[in-house]
Amino acid sequence: MRLPLILLLSLCCAGAVHGRDYPATPSGYLAMIDANGDGRISEAEYVDYLSAGFRRMDRNGDNLLDAGELPPGPRHTPRSLAAFQADLGAQFHRLDRNGDGSLSAKELAQPPR
């Protein structure tokens, strides 16, 4: 099973998954994100779930990750929640291979285009 890098990084940042808690199957990941339990992930569920890590990192709650809130590394450009969520929305649409507006476990597990 291979999940898109942005999804893996966001899941780790979201704090919902710890080393031994990773689901063993794509359907396990789907169940973690599927807030309404309908067996599919909507764009809103995808963006909301993956935005949790951003919100935890945003210590002052201004919807902007500044250099002091970003992890160490080469990228220290401030990042807004709106820009982060726009990227997640674009990622969602690349994953939604059949264009039905929701992600199945199979689509969630496929690498983005």
Side-chain angles (χ1 to χ4, degrees), residues 2-10 41-43 46-47 50 79 83-113:
R2 296 187 58 138
L3 291 174
L5 181 59
I6 191 171
L7 178 59
L8 286 175
L9 292 174
S10 297
I41 299 173
S42 69
E43 183 176 355
Y46 186 82
V47 171
L50 296 176
R79 182 84 167 141
F84 180 74
Q85 289 178 331
D87 288 347
L88 289 174
Q91 176 72 41
F92 176 90
H93 291 287
R94 285 191 298 273
L95 290 171
D96 183 14
R97 299 279 170 94
N98 65 4
D100 69 352
S102 64
L103 298 179
S104 65
K106 182 179 178 180
E107 288 172 319
L108 189 62
Q110 293 182 8
R113 309 182 255 178

Side-chain angles (χ1 to χ4, degrees), residues 5-73:
L5 181 59
I6 191 171
L7 178 59
L8 286 175
L9 292 174
S10 297
L11 287 171
C12 291
C13 291
V17 180
H18 301 288
R20 67 188 184 316
D21 298 330
Y22 283 108
T25 64
S27 58
Y29 278 100
L30 185 138
M32 283 177 26
I33 301 170
D34 182 17
N36 65 7
D38 67 355
R40 302 176 312 179
I41 299 173
S42 69
E43 183 176 355
E45 287 171 322
Y46 186 82
V47 171
D48 288 346
Y49 185 85
L50 296 176
S51 294
F54 184 104
R55 290 187 179 101
R56 273 194 286 287
M57 291 173 63
D58 183 15
R59 292 186 298 267
N60 64 5
D62 66 353
N63 291 329
L64 182 72
L65 294 181
D66 57 40
E69 295 168 323
L70 291 168

